[in-house]
Amino acid sequence: MAVEDDKVKRTRDLLSSFYSQDASQTSAPTNTTSRFATLDTINTTSFDADQYMNLLVQKSNLEGLLQRHVEMAAEIKNLDTDLQMLVYENYNKFISATDTIKRMKNNIVGMEVNMEQLLEKIMSVQSRSDGVNTSLFEKREHIEKLHRTRNLLRKVQFIYDLPTTLGKCIKSEAYGDAVRFYTGAMPIFKAYGDSSFQDCKKASEEVMSVIVNKLQDKVSSESESIQARAEAVMLLKQLDFPVENLKSKLLENLEQFLGELDLSKEITGMGSRESTNEGSESDSIPCVPEVPTREFVEAVHAYHVIFPDSEQQLVKLMQHLTTRHFEAARQQIQQRISPEKLSYRLRFIWTDVLLMDEVLPEAGVQDFGFEAACVAVSEYVASAFTHLLHEISDTLLQIQKEDGTGKEKEYPLGAALEATKNTLIQGTTKLLLDFRVVLDEELGLILKLREMMIGWIHEGFQSFFRRLNDELLLLSGQNVNVNVVQQQQQEQQERLQGDKVPAGVVLVISQLSVFIEREAISRVTEEIGSSLSLSGGGYAFDPAEVRHTFRAAGERFLQRYVNMRTQRISLLLKKRLTTPNWVKHKEPREVHMFVDMFLQELGAVGREVKQILGEGGGAVRKHARTESNGSTSSSRSNTNTNTTNNTNTNRSNTNRARSQLLETHLAKLFKQKMEIFTKVQHTQESVVMSIVKLCLKSFQEFVRLQTFNRSGFQQIQLDMQYLRTTLKDTTDSEDEAALEFLLDEVIVAAAERCLDPSPLEPAILDRLVQLKLAR
C-alpha cells in the first residue's frame, strides 16, 4: 500500500512539474533550502546536487551508498516509464481533439440551406411592413399637425406666464435662467409686443429691470467670486446693457485676485485637479493640490469673451501669473527642493500654462513659460552642484574644529579623507539619480527641456570640478587664479596664513585630489555615459581636462604640505641658532634638546602621512648624479679627507685649520654633484624625507649666518652625528646618501664660520651619541 502511495505522489509531482501549475507556491526559497537541507529535498525544485551528495556521504556508509544507488536506479527507471505513459496519454488526447474538429466540420455543411430560408422570411416581413406604413401615412400626417398646434399653444402660454416665471427666477436667484427665458421671448415681443402681448411685454420689462439692478449689484459686490462677477457681466451683455463702464472695474478685480494668490505652497502628490490637453500635448496630469488658478483663468476667459479688445491687458496678466509660478519654484530651488517635489511643481505650473494657452492662445504663454522653465531648471542643476560643493567643504572643515571648551578637537585624518571621498562619490551618484527622476518625468515641458538639461548637467559637472579645485585652494590657504606677477605676493600671504590652516587639512586635500584624478573621474564619466549621454551636439563633460587639473593640484597641495611643515620646523631651527652666543659657547657635553624637538616634529609628520599616504613600495626615487662643472652651491664634502685632516688638528692652529678647509673646497670641485631635491611623491617616505632635506638645507643656511668658536662648532658636529644615527634606520640607500650629504654640508658650513674648526675626536663623539641613545 505504501508503495502505491509513493507512486501516486510521484505521478502527481510529475504532472505538476509537466504542466507548471503553482510552481511558485510549491517551491521553497533557495536560501531556506540551503540552510535546512535534508535528503528529502531531492523531490523539490530547489534541489542542489552537490549539497545533496555531500550530505548523503556524511550520513551514510559505503553499504548505505550502494543501497541508495540501487534504489535511485530503480526510481529512475520508474520515472522513465511514467513519463512515457504521460506522452502516450497526451497523444491520445490530441487524436480525440482532431476527431472532434472533423465532426464539427461535417455538422456545419447543412447550415447554408437554413440561412437561405431565413433570408426569404425576412424579405416577407419587410414587404408587410411597407404595406402597414402606406396605410397609416394619412393618420400620421394628421397627428404631426396636431403636435405643431400644441407646441404653438405652449409658446403662447409661455409668453403669458413669462412675468410670473421671471419673478420665480428672482426669488431663486436663477438670473441666468431669467435672461435665457426673456431673450427667448424677445422675437415674439418685437413682432406682437404692441398688439396681442402688450401687457405681457410691459410686465416682463419691469421684472427684467429688477434683474438688471441685481446683476449690477452682483458685479460690484466684493463677496462674490470673480467667476460670478464675470457671469453677471455676460448676462448684462446678453440684455444689451452698456457694460463698458464695468470693464476697468472687473480688470482691477482680476489684478487684485492675482496679487493675493499664494503660489508658494508646497506641491505634493495629494489633491486633485482636472487635466488640460493642448493640441500637440498629451500630458497626463497627476494629482496636485487645488489652487484657485483655474478660477482665475476661467475668469480671464470670460473677461476676454466679454471684452474682446482687452487682449493686451490679459496677456500681461497671464505672463505675470506664469512669472510668479516660476519665481515660487526658484525660491524652493534655493531651499534645496527634492527632485520629486520639483517634478510636481513643474507639472503643476505646466498644467496652468496649458490651460492659459488654451484660453488665450494669442498670449503665447507656452513660449513664455518655456523660457522661464529653462531659467528655473538650469538654476536647479547649478544649485544641486553648489550644495554638493558645500557638503564636501563642510566635511573637510570637520578635520579641525573647536569643541565646547574653546580647544581644537582633532579628528583622524584617514577618517576625514574617507568621509570626504564618500561624500564626493555618493553625492555625485545621488545627483545623477535626482536628475534622472526629473528627466524621466512624462511631461511635455520636460520632453522639450531634456536635451538642454542633459547639456546643463554635463557643463555642471565640468564647472563643479573646476569650482571644487578653487574651493580646495581656498581651504588650503591659497589664492585662486593668481598670475605670475602676483606669485610673490601669494607666497608671502601663504607664509602669513600657514599657521591658520592645519597642515593635516592640506595633506587630506592633496590625497583627495589624487583620488579624484585616479578614481572619481572615471566613475563619474562612466555613470554620465550610461544615463546622461548626449544624442546631439552641445557641451560634453571632458574628463581629461579635470584629470589634468587635479593631477597638478595634487602635486601642488602635497608640495604645500611639505613647505608648511618645513616652515614650522625651520622656525625651531632658526630659534636654536639665533638664541645662544656661539662665540662664547661652552664645550659640548650632550646632544642639544633641540634635536629631540626636531625629531618629535618629524614623528608628528610621520604619524600624519601614515594615516593618509601609502608606503613607497617598489617606487624607489633615484638621486641623479652629474659631473660638476665647477660651480657648486651645494656639493658633497670629502668626509674622508675631512676626517683625516681633523685627526691632526690637536695643535689648535687656526691657520692650519683654514688651509684644510680650503683643500676641502678645492676637492669638492672635482666631486660628483648630487641632485638632492627631487619631486615629492605621494608616499610616506618621499614626504618625510623631503621635509628632512629641506629642514637640513635651511639649517645649513642658518649656520652660515652665525660665527662659532671651537665648542660651538663641536656642538653642531655632535648634533648632526646624532641625527645621522637616528635617521639612518628610517631611510633607504638613496635617501641615506642624500641625508649624509646634507649633514656633512651643515658641518662644513659650521666649519667655514668657525674661528677654530677643530672637530671632536671620533671616540668622544661616539660616546656622547651612545649616551644620548641610551637615555
Side-chain angles (χ1 to χ4, degrees), residues 497-723:
Q497 295 180 348
D499 295 336
K500 299 180 181 179
V501 180
V505 175
V506 180
L507 184 60
V508 171
I509 291 175
S510 170
Q511 199 62 14
L512 177 63
S513 300
V514 175
F515 171 77
I516 293 174
E517 183 256 328
R518 295 179 181 177
E519 298 184 30
I521 299 301
S522 300
R523 296 186 185 181
V524 171
T525 304
E526 182 179 354
E527 291 178 356
I528 291 177
S530 61
S531 60
L532 295 174
S533 59
L534 285 170
S535 59
Y539 190 92
F541 178 63
D542 184 10
E545 177 186 347
V546 180
R547 286 195 181 97
H548 175 75
T549 299
F550 281 93
R551 185 184 302 113
E555 297 173 357
R556 181 178 180 181
F557 290 132
L558 187 62
Q559 186 61 51
R560 173 161 173 75
Y561 172 77
V562 172
N563 294 340
M564 292 174 66
R565 281 302 186 184
T566 302
Q567 290 173 10
R568 177 183 174 89
I569 300 176
S570 295
L571 293 176
L572 171 66
L573 300 178
K574 183 178 181 180
K575 185 177 181 181
R576 160 63 180 143
L577 287 173
T578 56
T579 300
N581 186 354
W582 290 99
V583 178
K584 298 180 180 181
H585 200 279
K586 296 181 180 180
E587 183 177 353
R589 298 183 180 276
E590 61 179 357
V591 178
H592 196 270
M593 58 180 294
F594 102 93
V595 178
D596 294 331
M597 299 173 65
F598 175 68
L599 293 176
Q600 289 176 2
E601 291 292 336
L602 292 181
V605 173
R607 289 189 294 272
E608 282 186 349
V609 299
K610 187 176 182 181
Q611 296 181 59
I612 302 298
L613 302 176
E615 298 181 357
V620 180
R621 301 176 308 279
K622 300 296 183 182
H623 297 271
R625 295 176 181 268
T626 57
E627 295 298 327
S628 174
N629 56 5
S631 61
T632 80
S633 62
S634 176
S635 59
R636 184 176 180 84
S637 63
N638 190 344
T639 306
N640 295 331
T641 303
N642 190 31
T643 304
T644 303
N645 291 335
N646 287 336
T647 57
N648 299 321
T649 59
N650 294 328
R651 293 172 296 176
S652 302
N653 189 329
T654 304
N655 294 330
R656 178 64 177 171
R658 293 188 182 279
S659 299
Q660 293 173 357
L661 288 175
L662 179 60
E663 293 177 2
T664 301
H665 280 295
L666 291 175
K668 287 163 61 178
L669 296 176
F670 300 97
K671 289 301 231 180
Q672 290 181 332
K673 184 173 66 175
M674 175 178 291
E675 185 180 355
I676 300 298
F677 302 104
T678 57
K679 181 178 179 181
V680 184
Q681 305 294 328
H682 290 271
T683 59
Q684 301 175 21
E685 297 83 357
S686 176
V687 173
V688 174
M689 286 309 302
S690 297
I691 295 174
V692 171
K693 294 173 187 177
L694 289 172
C695 291
L696 291 178
K697 188 63 179 177
S698 299
F699 192 70
Q700 177 189 353
E701 298 301 325
F702 294 149
V703 166
R704 288 178 175 173
L705 299 177
Q706 304 297 326
T707 301
F708 302 88
N709 62 0
R710 181 178 61 184
S711 298
F713 167 69
Q714 291 175 351
Q715 182 68 56
I716 297 296
Q717 181 189 11
L718 174 60
D719 294 342
M720 295 304 102
Q721 183 63 29
Y722 180 72
L723 286 177

Side-chain angles (χ1 to χ4, degrees), residues 219 226-238 241 243-244 246-247 250 298-310 314:
V219 173
I226 292 181
Q227 183 65 25
R229 297 178 189 177
E231 291 177 357
V233 174
M234 180 72 75
L235 294 176
L236 289 173
K237 192 172 183 180
Q238 291 178 11
F241 183 84
V243 295
E244 292 297 329
L246 301 175
K247 178 179 178 181
L250 186 58
E298 291 176 352
V300 169
H301 174 64
Y303 189 92
H304 184 246
V305 174
I306 299 169
F307 308 109
D309 58 341
S310 61
L314 296 180

